[in-house]
Amino acid sequence: MNSTWRAAFVLVLLAACGSESDAARGGAPDSAQATTAGTADTVPADSPAAAVPVMVLAPDGLAIAGGVVSQRLAFGEPQARVLAEAGAVLGAPRNGGMQEECPAGPLYQTTFATLQLVFQDSAFVGWAAQIPSPLRTAEGIGPGSTLTQIRAAYPAATVDQTSLGTEFAAGDLYGVFADSTADARLQHLFAGINCIFR
């Protein structure tokens, strides 16, 4: 497990502990922690490992942190495995189908409640999340984050006006803002191959 996934795992465990404290005080759990889990019942309910699994967004794929184990779903993984693992955390997909006329060629897209997964030739190649998705990167960035927050999380990020609008790039992570002000909210966050026309 590299440092990025280890950091994601630690963040999720800390968040899960905070959610349990909120529940004890009668507060509402964080929406990202309230996702359906397929593995939560494989360990005793009072075990620290019984934390609800959470999907973590990454430039090179996804991670599932919390629960019994932390897993990585990197780009290139088989479609069947990624769909099964994602479904265990996010629930059943809402829809799916081929997009034949994409710049990268035909892509199969599957949309869950909070995330769209993209496949090409039965391999996982990309993901996209947009407002109001609660999903976040290991650095805490996701749809709804401000431009100021993204600059703090990714100091080397670039922000440019493109055909998509106000777009940022941080390595292999990309997103589009509502406008170019410091308080502008991230509307769309994506990585890998997507059916995007520029």
Side-chain angles (χ1 to χ4, degrees), residues 36-37 83-96 110-115:
T36 303
L83 286 175
E85 299 290 351
V89 177
L90 301 175
R94 290 181 174 175
N95 54 58
T110 300
T111 303
F112 292 85
T114 59
L115 183 68

Side-chain angles (χ1 to χ4, degrees), residues 9 30 34 56 68 72 76 88 94-95 125 136 149 153 172 190:
F9 181 69
D30 181 82
V56 180
V68 180
R72 183 179 179 193
R94 290 181 174 175
N95 54 58
V125 296
R136 295 291 179 264
Q149 290 170 329
D172 293 324
F190 56 95

Side-chain angles (χ1 to χ4, degrees), residues 41-146:
D41 60 354
T42 61
V43 293
D46 59 351
S47 168
V52 176
V54 174
M55 191 70 73
V56 180
L57 307 174
D60 60 351
L62 300 167
I64 299 174
V68 180
V69 294
S70 182
Q71 301 181 57
R72 183 179 179 193
L73 301 175
F75 293 147
E77 291 277 353
Q79 178 174 337
R81 177 184 179 239
V82 173
L83 286 175
E85 299 290 351
V89 177
L90 301 175
R94 290 181 174 175
N95 54 58
M98 289 296 298
Q99 297 293 324
E100 298 288 349
E101 298 181 5
C102 295
L107 299 174
Y108 183 85
Q109 299 176 324
T110 300
T111 303
F112 292 85
T114 59
L115 183 68
Q116 182 177 74
L117 302 183
V118 184
F119 303 91
Q120 189 169 50
D121 298 326
S122 298
F124 177 38
V125 296
W127 58 259
Q130 61 187 13
I131 287 178
S133 174
L135 299 181
R136 295 291 179 264
T137 66
E139 294 78 17
I141 295 301
S145 295
T146 66

